[in-house]
Amino acid sequence: EPEVTQTPSHQVTQMGQEVILRCVPISNHLYFYWYRQILGQKVEFLVSFYNNEISEKSEIFDDQFSVERPDGSNFTLKIRSTKLEDSAMYFCASRDRASKNIQYFGAGTRLSVL
Amino acid sequence: SQQGEEDPQALSIQEGENATMNCSYKTSINNLQWYRQNSGRGLVHLILIRSNEREKHSGRLRVTLDTSKKSSSLLITASRAADTASYFCATPLNDYKLSFGAGTTVTVRA
C-alpha cells in the first residue's frame, strides 16, 4: 500500500542550526501538509501546500519556517535557526483530490534541539 | 484553533473488553475522523463519519456522531493488545487543515 515516507526518523541539532525535514508524499497526491506534536501535546497544524504554493499556514509557521517541493516527489520543511521549543515530532501528510479531508500521515521525524 | 477534546485522557482495559472514548468539538463540521497513533509512530486514519451520519462501523470499530451535542464516540469492541495506542479525533477546519484533539491513550492488558 502506498505510504508517506519521512526522513530522517530522528534528527538531533544544536540550537541556531538549520534543519531540513524531508517527506515523500504518496505519488498521485496533490495536497501536502506539515503538522507537529510537542511531547505530550496535541498534533498542531503548521502549513498546507497545493499547486506549488502555501495554501494556509498557522501562527506557528513564522519566518523561520519554509516549505518547498524541489522536485516531483519530495516535500521539505526547513527551519532556519532552530530553537529549543522547536523540539517535537514533525509529521508530513498528503491527500489526493478525491479523498477530500482524509490525510495520510508519515511516521514522523523526531527533532531534538539541544 | 484546536477544537477536538477527547475524554478520558487515558484508559486501561483487559483484553477482550470494550474501550469507549469520546470527543467533543466546538464548531460546525462536515465530517469527523478518528486516527490512531502507536507509540512513536505516525497517525493512521481509522474512520470518517459525515455530519449526516449518526453511526458507522468498521470491523471492531463503531463511531457515533451527535451533531446536536457536538460530540462523537469511538468504541473498540473485543480489544486486543495490538489496540494499545493513542486515539485522536480530528475535524477539518477547511479544505486545508485538520484540528486534532489531545487524544485518549488506551492500554490493553493481556
Side-chain angles (χ1 to χ4, degrees), chain B residues 92-108:
Chain B
L93 295 183
N94 52 34
D95 279 351
Y96 302 117
K97 63 185 180 185
L98 293 172
S99 175
F100 286 85
T104 294
T105 299
V106 175
T107 303
V108 181

Side-chain angles (χ1 to χ4, degrees), chain A residues 31 33 35 37 41-45 47-48 50 55-56 89 91 95 99-108 110, chain B residues 2-5 30-31 33 35 37 40-45 48 88 92 94-103:
Chain A
Y31 298 81
Y33 308 85
Y35 292 80
Q37 184 182 30
Q41 297 187 23
K42 294 181 180 184
V43 176
E44 303 172 287
F45 167 80
V47 66
S48 59
Y50 170 71
S55 316
E56 185 162 348
M89 278 289 280
F91 294 107
R95 71 169 175 92
S99 68
K100 201 69 173 144
N101 296 130
I102 298 176
Q103 297 178 20
Y104 296 84
F105 285 78
R110 180 172 299 284
Chain B
Q2 307 284 351
Q3 67 163 348
E5 295 293 339
N30 57 33
N31 69 71
Q33 302 170 44
Y35 285 79
Q37 183 183 30
R41 303 287 299 172
L43 296 152
V44 175
H45 183 265
L48 178 152
F88 297 88
N94 52 34
D95 279 351
Y96 302 117
K97 63 185 180 185
L98 293 172
S99 175
F100 286 85

Side-chain angles (χ1 to χ4, degrees), chain B residues 43-104:
Chain B
L43 296 152
V44 175
H45 183 265
L46 294 176
I47 195 165
L48 178 152
I49 186 165
R50 300 190 192 286
S51 59
N52 61 353
E53 297 175 311
R54 291 296 167 258
E55 188 171 310
K56 197 161 182 180
H57 296 251
S58 176
R60 293 183 296 111
L61 304 179
R62 183 175 80 104
V63 170
T64 64
L65 180 64
D66 187 335
T67 52
S68 67
K69 293 181 180 174
K70 291 187 166 61
S71 68
S72 173
S73 68
L74 172 67
L75 167 69
I76 306 171
T77 60
S79 61
R80 305 167 183 167
D83 296 327
T84 294
S86 292
Y87 293 82
F88 297 88
C89 66
T91 54
L93 295 183
N94 52 34
D95 279 351
Y96 302 117
K97 63 185 180 185
L98 293 172
S99 175
F100 286 85
T104 294

Side-chain angles (χ1 to χ4, degrees), chain A residues 6-111:
Chain A
Q6 290 186 242
T7 54
S9 56
H10 190 192
Q11 174 86 51
V12 181
T13 190
Q14 294 290 324
M15 193 169 55
Q17 294 296 304
E18 174 183 286
V19 294
I20 297 176
L21 309 183
R22 301 180 192 281
C23 170
V24 179
I26 294 173
S27 63
N28 63 337
H29 285 190
L30 301 175
Y31 298 81
F32 313 114
Y33 308 85
W34 284 100
Y35 292 80
R36 80 170 185 193
Q37 184 182 30
I38 294 171
L39 188 63
Q41 297 187 23
K42 294 181 180 184
V43 176
E44 303 172 287
F45 167 80
L46 289 179
V47 66
S48 59
F49 191 86
Y50 170 71
N51 201 26
N52 284 319
E53 60 182 26
I54 290 174
S55 316
E56 185 162 348
K57 59 183 181 179
S58 72
E59 60 274 11
I60 302 167
F61 194 88
D62 61 21
D63 292 345
Q64 292 300 312
F65 291 87
S66 63
V67 288
E68 195 177 28
R69 188 153 163 82
D71 52 42
S73 59
N74 291 284
F75 179 52
T76 61
L77 174 70
K78 183 194 290 186
I79 309 175
R80 262 179 270 285
S81 177
T82 50
K83 308 185 192 72
L84 295 176
E85 55 266 35
D86 293 327
S87 295
M89 278 289 280
Y90 287 81
F91 294 107
C92 173
S94 69
R95 71 169 175 92
D96 61 20
R97 199 188 301 273
S99 68
K100 201 69 173 144
N101 296 130
I102 298 176
Q103 297 178 20
Y104 296 84
F105 285 78
T109 292
R110 180 172 299 284
L111 177 65

